[in-house]
Amino acid sequence: MSDAARGPFWWRSIGQRLTVLLAVIAAVLAILSWWMVTSFAREAAERTQDNVLVASATTIAEALRSEQGTILLELPYSAFAMLNAIGEDRVFYRVAAGGETITGYDDLIPPTLPERPGDVAVRTISYRGDQVRVVSVQRTVLAGQQPVPVLVSVGQTRTGVEAIGTGLSRTAAVLSVAFFLLAVGLGAFAAISSLRPLNAFAQAVTRRGPSDLRPLRRKVPDELSPLLIALNRLMERLGQSIRRSEEFIAEAAHRVRTPLATVRAQAELALHTVEKENEKKMLRRVIRAVDESSRSASQLLDHATVSFRAEALARDDVDLAELVVKVAEGLSPTADMKDINFRLDAKSPAPVRGDLILLESALRNVLDNSIKYSPGETEVSITLAQDDPSQWRLTVRDHGRGFSAVSLPALTGRFTRGANVEKIVGSGLGLTIAEDVLIAHGGSLELTTPEDGVGACVSLILPAA
């Protein structure tokens, strides 16, 4: 799949995706909080200014008095002192009785007047090139016997209110950015923490070997339970499929060996009865093909046995030295046919814990290869030594064709053979079986070429009991 089809880089990771989404949410909340704080701050500053203007106008209105039919006013200092408390803005005022200005600015005429005495009218007007907030209060004063309506208007420029709003808006912006950065950091931490069980789950699967298909038994969050159930079911189906395949191979190998033995016996009888050389050559090719097929069937059966028993490996006390003697004696008739001698250097006891059948199969395949690829009248040496207290090394060295240097790393693969053994019957499973057995027991298989360059050296390494 191309990078374009996979989407942006941050969309390929659940952690990055969750972090980005949380960052977007944090950004929206930060902008919303900034807007709300700024709006509330401006509204609070305006309300404060209005309250002070109303108090100032009311104070002036309360200072009105009448003497001998004349309305008099002595401007109280407190009316303007309270306005200076909220800023250094310019202040305008006008006191008018019956439409005539008593004191103040004649042109300060508010667009909206109070409807009744005691009412307050508040408006923002453009006055002398500035935005001015004007409060008007109406009061009725008795001038002699006549009630005279008096309008008191007090205005103040809005520079101080705007400065207060701007300052609070700037502070809110700084706090919003800090909130956003903190939210992004916490969001990333939350994403990592939330995905930690998923990473642990993946590591638990990764640590398993290629043949370990046991169900996973671990506690996971509820969101991962469907994945755990699905994975266990998949491994169960995969295990069943592998077991059916191995059972088929084992059954097929078992059923093929008996007919092949019959065919070989009949071919050997025919070989002794024919006289023509071309017919003898043909029968020898038949016998060779039957031997190769029979050997392949036997090793397929051994490999299937290894696969079955490795899933539930037995842990018996095995003396590796006694096992070497037993397998060597079992293969002696085959070695004697080529005048090959076994030289044993294996002192008992050499205790290991493992599956006796599988260990015997591994050692038999290695020794059988040494006999098969060694020329006649040679020696196969078997040495059992302890590298350190934790492991045993069983080394089988022959004087045969040796390993091809090019194919040496791949010789333990299934059905893989060296480039120098074309004319020798073999299936390419012997070393595969040996390595699988050793790995199942926590050991390893080493293939090397002797220092003198003659033959092959195979080392079976097993943990000591």
Side-chain angles (χ1 to χ4, degrees):
M1 182 181 294
S2 65
D3 290 344
R6 294 173 61 190
F9 75 94
W10 56 267
W11 202 252
R12 303 173 196 168
S13 166
I14 295 178
Q16 292 174 348
R17 184 185 308 181
L18 185 58
T19 301
V20 170
L21 292 178
L22 290 175
V24 171
I25 294 174
V28 172
L29 293 177
I31 294 173
L32 182 62
S33 65
W34 170 82
W35 176 80
M36 292 177 62
V37 171
T38 300
S39 300
F40 291 156
R42 291 183 182 277
E43 183 179 350
E46 291 177 356
R47 188 178 296 115
T48 300
Q49 186 184 37
D50 291 346
N51 292 336
V52 174
L53 287 171
V54 170
S56 178
T58 302
T59 301
I60 294 174
E62 290 177 349
L64 292 167
R65 68 181 188 277
S66 174
E67 292 183 2
Q68 298 178 357
T70 302
I71 298 176
L72 300 177
L73 173 64
E74 184 178 349
L75 289 173
Y77 172 77
S78 60
F80 299 101
M82 64 180 69
L83 290 174
N84 291 331
I86 65 171
E88 299 297 331
D89 289 320
R90 290 182 294 166
V91 177
F92 308 95
Y93 69 94
R94 178 174 180 262
V95 181
E100 296 294 332
T101 302
I102 298 176
T103 182
Y105 296 84
D106 291 334
D107 57 349
L108 183 62
I109 301 174
T112 303
L113 301 177
E115 297 180 358
R116 296 181 303 274
D119 289 349
V120 178
V122 182
R123 288 290 183 273
T124 300
I125 65 173
S126 179
Y127 181 69
R128 298 190 178 186
D130 292 318
Q131 293 293 310
V132 178
R133 190 72 167 173
V134 179
V135 171
S136 299
V137 177
Q138 184 173 328
R139 180 185 176 191
T140 302
V141 180
L142 290 175
Q145 300 297 323
Q146 297 294 327
V148 178
V150 179
L151 181 66
V152 179
S153 298
V154 179
Q156 187 180 31
T157 55
R158 298 176 55 80
T159 305
V161 173
E162 292 294 335
I164 292 174
T166 301
L168 292 175
S169 177
R170 188 179 296 111
T171 302
V174 173
L175 292 176
S176 297
V177 171
F179 166 77
F180 170 74
L181 296 177
L182 178 62
V184 170
L186 293 176
F189 175 76
I192 295 173
S193 300
S194 300
L195 293 176
R196 189 171 292 122
L198 181 60
N199 295 331
F201 180 78
Q203 291 174 2
V205 177
T206 304
R207 285 194 297 265
R208 291 195 164 205
S211 61
D212 189 355
L213 297 177
R214 295 171 300 164
L216 284 171
R217 306 294 185 189
R218 60 185 297 116
K219 293 182 179 180
V220 296
D222 293 341
E223 292 80 5
L224 292 181
S225 294
L227 177 61
L228 178 63
I229 294 172
L231 182 60
N232 284 337
R233 289 178 178 174
L234 175 62
M235 289 194 296
E236 182 180 0
R237 292 195 299 270
L238 183 60
Q240 291 175 352
S241 177
I242 293 175
R243 283 192 294 271
R244 284 195 296 267
S245 299
E246 298 290 352
E247 288 172 0
F248 172 78
I249 294 173
E251 184 66 20
H254 178 71
R255 292 183 176 275
V256 165
R257 284 194 301 176
T258 300
L260 286 176
T262 303
V263 172
R264 191 182 193 285
Q266 295 296 326
E268 287 184 344
L269 290 176
L271 181 62
H272 294 294
T273 58
V274 298
E275 296 180 356
K276 295 182 179 180
E277 189 61 32
N278 59 343
E279 292 178 350
K280 290 184 178 181
K281 289 181 179 180
M282 181 178 63
L283 288 173
R284 290 192 184 98
R285 286 197 296 269
V286 170
I287 293 173
R288 176 183 173 85
V290 169
D291 288 341
E292 185 170 353
S293 299
S294 179
R295 181 180 181 81
S296 298
S298 297
Q299 289 198 319
L300 283 172
L301 182 59
D302 285 346
H303 190 265
T305 302
V306 171
S307 300
F308 291 151
R309 297 183 68 92
E311 294 182 2
L313 197 66
R315 291 294 181 181
D316 304 321
D317 292 326
V318 179
D319 188 338
L320 199 56
E322 292 182 359
L323 181 62
V324 170
V325 174
K326 176 184 176 181
V327 174
E329 290 177 351
L331 292 175
S332 293
T334 305
D336 292 342
M337 295 177 63
K338 298 178 66 174
D339 292 328
I340 294 176
N341 296 321
F342 286 132
R343 182 170 62 84
L344 298 178
D345 183 7
K347 296 180 180 180
S348 186
V352 296
R353 288 187 60 82
D355 192 307
L356 178 61
I357 295 177
L358 295 187
L359 292 174
E360 182 178 351
S361 176
L363 183 56
R364 185 177 62 252
N365 275 278
V366 172
L367 290 179
D368 185 61
N369 277 350
S370 296
I371 296 171
K372 180 172 60 176
Y373 295 119
S374 294
E377 299 181 355
T378 57
E379 181 181 81
V380 174
S381 63
I382 306 171
T383 304
L384 178 61
Q386 199 166 15
D387 290 345
D388 56 64
S390 63
Q391 68 180 21
W392 291 98
R393 177 182 291 268
L394 178 61
T395 303
V396 179
R397 190 266 168 95
D398 60 47
H399 294 77
R401 303 187 179 191
F403 298 125
S404 172
V406 177
S407 60
L408 184 60
L411 283 177
T412 55
R414 296 177 66 177
F415 307 110
T416 302
R417 305 185 70 200
N420 55 351
V421 294
E422 298 89 349
K423 296 183 179 181
I424 299 178
V425 175
S427 62
L429 281 174
L431 294 178
T432 303
I433 294 170
E435 185 179 54
D436 288 349
V437 171
L438 294 173
I439 291 176
H441 286 78
S444 61
L445 184 73
E446 290 184 3
L447 306 181
T448 57
T449 299
E451 295 180 358
D452 57 7
V454 179
C457 186
V458 180
S459 298
L460 293 80
I461 302 172
L462 285 166

